[in-house]
Amino acid sequence: MWRDHLTEIIIFTLLFLLVSAMGFVAARWRAPRDMAHLDEWGLGGRNFGGWITWFLVGGDLYTAYTFVAVPALVFGAGAMGFFAVPYTIVIYPLVFLVLCRLWSVSHRHGFVTPADFVRSRFDSPVLALLVAITGIVATMPYIALQLVGIEAVLKAMGVTGDNAVARHLPIIIAFAILAAYTYQSGLRAPALIAFVKDTLIYIVILVAVLYLPYKLGGWGEIFDAADAKFDASPSPGDGVLLNANNQLQYVTLAFGSALALFLYPHSITGVLASRNRDVIKRNMSALPAYSLLLGLIALLGYMAIAADVKPLPGASEGTVDNNTIVPLLFDQQFPSWFTGVAYAAIGIGALVPAAIMSIAAANLFTRNIYKEYLRRDATPAQEANVSKITSLVVKIGAVACIVFLDPQFSIDLQLIGGVIILQTLPAVALGLYTRWFHRGALIAGWVAGMGLGMWMLYQISSPTRKHFAGSAFPLEKFGFDTPKTIYVGIVAVLVNLLVAAILTLILRAVKVREGVDGTTSDDYFADEGDPRVTPGDRQDADAAPEPVA
């Protein structure tokens, strides 16, 4: 009952109201020139320095879902759950190599979204539309998963109802407040709140990893308890160590997730809001500190096993909700006041990325669908207004996913989202280094990769679902005599690249027009203070584009 958790509820509510107030105040933070402009509302004026960017990008990539789902996976499967640690290490060199160039060309041309860049680079509104739609579709379930984190906390506090409306009412209220201050303050709101969110998470996790092993008898006892549990598991892939059954899945999932993460629109939005290239470079050097924290968070799964935590029942009859194990662990092992702080850290941890994700999805719709196809003469103020309204619609859609879909399916949708967003890698990431691929071939590659990816995902089943039950594809379905699985996203993007490469050679051989590159080589190294480019500054459309290495 919620009365047994009154202290936690009070502390959670007070801290939630504090950050909500900060969200509304953020509209006046750092003296925006004009909030009726996407540069200000959607990118914070493109003027965030090192500390703000560190908290913003860190708060964007390490979410409430990370806080509850990574330990839940470790709790349920063991070492496989640690795939999140190497992939959040691999991502930073990739961001260093790729997104610095994207920042420069976006600074020079005023691009707000990755689809803006693709439109100019390959002279293809169709390819840009595919990138925009892909980003929006992949982001929606990611936003919904932030609600899964809040829902796990509410369950642990006993804040549940007898029907769907009563059960989800606190989440609906929380996201209504989030929608209100995001509408008013734009990207400045999550940037300011990220300071509080990350501070709370660091305090909670550091206290937990120092105190819980002492209380539970030491790390030896914790790992022995986990080992005993997995020895009794019927799944051959479960265990405190990887084995022959899950190593391929682990490697491909970690690498594929790293490639996907920096392609998500919200990751790019946080980077484009930076003041200059040096801010991005310094942050890519410092952000791995969050990966150290993530490793400690993952260990909470083993601690929950040692503490004999029993997850609460799931939405479907006969199932359990492993996402509740971290909230329950804190509830059982810490005093009420500290548990309330931990719950607030998870709840606030949902607000920061959810706000950034909704802004990124709204910017994609506004710039690459509304302005490109519905109103080409839209003013900056009209763009900003459409983006604000779209961000509200996106949040409503995320809440609907939680209300009407099984939470476990929402988690699987996020894995599907990673497969989807990976299909933009050739156009966005490789397009920053080369224009060798033909625009028609990139479209065909996207279709091939997306089609194969969806077919593979459809073939994946589980005891509770016949289709779309994760992203681990059994190799035996390809005719291999092995029980191993592989991450769908890696296979799909390799096919995407293969099709794009072969068709590029064919289209060049028959001399199909490639369009004009709207960028030049020096655009990819522009920095703060370099002049912006207007369409009139560019060469004629019939002139040969300057090659970019």
Side-chain angles (χ1 to χ4, degrees):
M1 289 293 292
W2 65 268
R3 293 182 182 85
D4 298 328
H5 302 276
L6 192 57
T7 302
E8 292 102 311
I9 293 172
I10 292 173
I11 293 175
F12 177 88
T13 303
L14 289 175
L15 287 173
F16 188 90
L17 291 176
L18 170 65
V19 299
S20 297
M22 292 175 64
F24 287 106
V25 170
R28 300 182 180 276
W29 179 48
R30 298 178 66 84
R33 292 188 298 272
D34 181 10
M35 286 297 286
H37 196 292
L38 277 187
D39 272 8
E40 293 293 344
W41 185 84
L43 292 178
R46 300 181 187 260
N47 197 34
F48 289 159
W51 278 108
I52 299 173
T53 301
W54 193 79
F55 280 104
L56 178 66
V57 176
D60 186 13
L61 300 182
Y62 300 87
T63 68
Y65 171 65
T66 304
F67 205 132
V68 299
V70 172
L73 184 55
V74 171
F75 177 87
M80 191 65 199
F82 284 91
F83 84 94
V85 178
Y87 102 64
T88 56
I89 295 172
V90 170
I91 185 177
Y92 297 115
L94 296 175
V95 172
F96 191 97
L97 291 171
V98 174
L99 294 193
C100 281
R101 294 174 71 93
L102 182 59
W103 182 93
S104 289
V105 72
S106 298
H107 166 79
R108 180 67 69 87
H109 290 266
F111 298 151
V112 176
T113 70
D116 283 350
F117 160 72
V118 170
R119 172 71 171 85
S120 179
R121 178 70 149 147
F122 295 100
D123 193 17
S124 175
V126 174
L127 183 59
L129 177 65
L130 292 178
V131 170
I133 293 174
T134 304
I136 294 170
V137 172
T139 300
M140 285 292 292
Y142 219 145
I143 301 173
L145 280 180
Q146 307 316 309
L147 298 178
V148 171
I150 297 179
E151 190 169 52
V153 168
L154 295 175
K155 277 186 179 181
M157 291 191 297
V159 184
T160 56
D162 298 330
N163 54 65
V165 175
R167 185 168 65 252
H168 295 295
L169 185 60
I171 291 179
I172 294 172
I173 294 172
F175 255 52
I177 296 172
L178 169 68
Y181 65 66
T182 303
Y183 184 92
Q184 176 178 313
S185 305
L187 194 65
R188 284 175 169 80
L192 189 58
I193 294 172
F195 284 92
V196 177
K197 172 251 184 186
D198 289 354
T199 300
L200 287 176
I201 287 181
Y202 266 101
I203 291 173
V204 168
I205 295 304
L206 291 177
V207 169
V209 298
L210 292 174
Y211 175 72
L212 287 178
Y214 165 77
K215 188 171 182 181
L216 297 173
W219 286 107
E221 292 291 330
I222 291 172
F223 280 98
D224 286 345
D227 207 23
K229 176 190 174 181
F230 297 128
D231 282 344
S233 172
S235 175
D238 293 353
V240 295
L241 297 176
L242 295 174
N243 55 53
N245 294 303
N246 58 18
Q247 288 172 352
L248 179 63
Q249 173 68 14
Y250 182 92
V251 171
T252 55
L253 180 58
F255 184 62
S257 297
L259 292 177
L261 189 58
F262 81 90
L263 291 169
Y264 273 105
H266 58 276
S267 302
I268 292 174
T269 295
V271 170
L272 293 187
S274 303
R275 179 185 301 146
N276 53 42
R277 287 170 62 98
D278 284 343
V279 167
I280 301 171
K281 292 176 181 178
R282 288 196 302 270
N283 271 275
M284 294 312 107
S285 301
L287 278 167
Y290 276 99
S291 298
L292 172 63
L293 185 68
L294 179 58
L296 300 177
I297 291 173
L299 288 172
L300 293 175
Y302 288 156
M303 296 180 200
I305 295 174
D308 197 27
V309 173
K310 305 297 183 185
L312 294 174
S316 302
E317 186 176 351
T319 63
V320 295
D321 185 1
N322 279 350
N323 289 319
T324 59
I325 63 114
V326 169
L328 290 175
L329 175 66
F330 280 95
D331 184 50
Q332 294 177 12
Q333 302 295 325
F334 286 98
S336 297
W337 67 268
F338 188 81
T339 302
V341 173
Y343 288 172
I346 298 173
I348 297 168
L351 300 181
V352 172
I356 303 171
M357 291 170 190
S358 65
I359 290 170
N363 289 346
L364 281 168
F365 174 82
T366 301
R367 289 296 290 257
N368 308 114
I369 298 177
Y370 174 77
K371 186 169 184 178
E372 181 75 40
Y373 294 97
L374 302 178
R375 190 163 185 175
R376 287 182 175 272
D377 61 346
T379 65
Q382 289 170 333
E383 285 183 22
N385 190 52
V386 169
S387 201
K388 289 178 181 181
I389 295 171
T390 305
S391 73
L392 298 179
V393 175
V394 168
K395 293 183 185 71
I396 293 171
V399 172
C401 287
I402 292 298
V403 173
F404 297 109
L405 295 179
D406 185 298
Q408 181 57 45
F409 187 52
S410 296
I411 294 170
D412 292 335
L413 275 177
Q414 194 275 329
L415 296 174
I416 294 170
V419 175
I420 292 172
I421 200 66
L422 263 176
Q423 305 319 309
T424 65
L425 185 143
V428 178
L430 297 185
L432 288 163
Y433 276 89
T434 179
R435 200 175 179 271
W436 181 82
F437 290 102
H438 192 285
R439 58 186 180 180
L442 287 172
I443 293 171
W446 181 92
V447 172
M450 196 68 72
L452 176 63
M454 290 300 102
W455 176 83
M456 293 173 69
L457 291 167
Y458 182 80
Q459 300 298 316
I460 298 173
S461 61
S462 73
T464 58
R465 192 177 307 113
K466 291 184 178 180
H467 307 290
F468 296 106
S471 60
F473 186 80
L475 287 177
E476 61 186 14
K477 290 185 180 292
F478 278 147
F480 294 97
D481 185 19
T482 176
K484 294 181 180 180
T485 59
I486 190 170
Y487 178 53
V488 171
I490 286 291
V491 179
V493 78
L494 288 176
V495 170
N496 182 338
L497 286 167
L498 181 63
V499 170
I502 293 173
L503 274 181
T504 293
L505 296 175
I506 294 173
L507 292 174
R508 286 234 175 88
V510 297
K511 298 183 179 179
V512 175
R513 188 173 182 273
E514 298 188 39
V516 176
D517 186 356
T519 69
T520 58
S521 57
D522 63 315
D523 289 342
Y524 296 85
F525 302 96
D527 207 342
E528 182 183 20
D530 287 352
R532 294 286 181 90
V533 172
T534 62
D537 296 330
R538 280 289 173 227
Q539 54 199 347
D540 287 338
D542 295 330
E546 182 177 344
V548 177

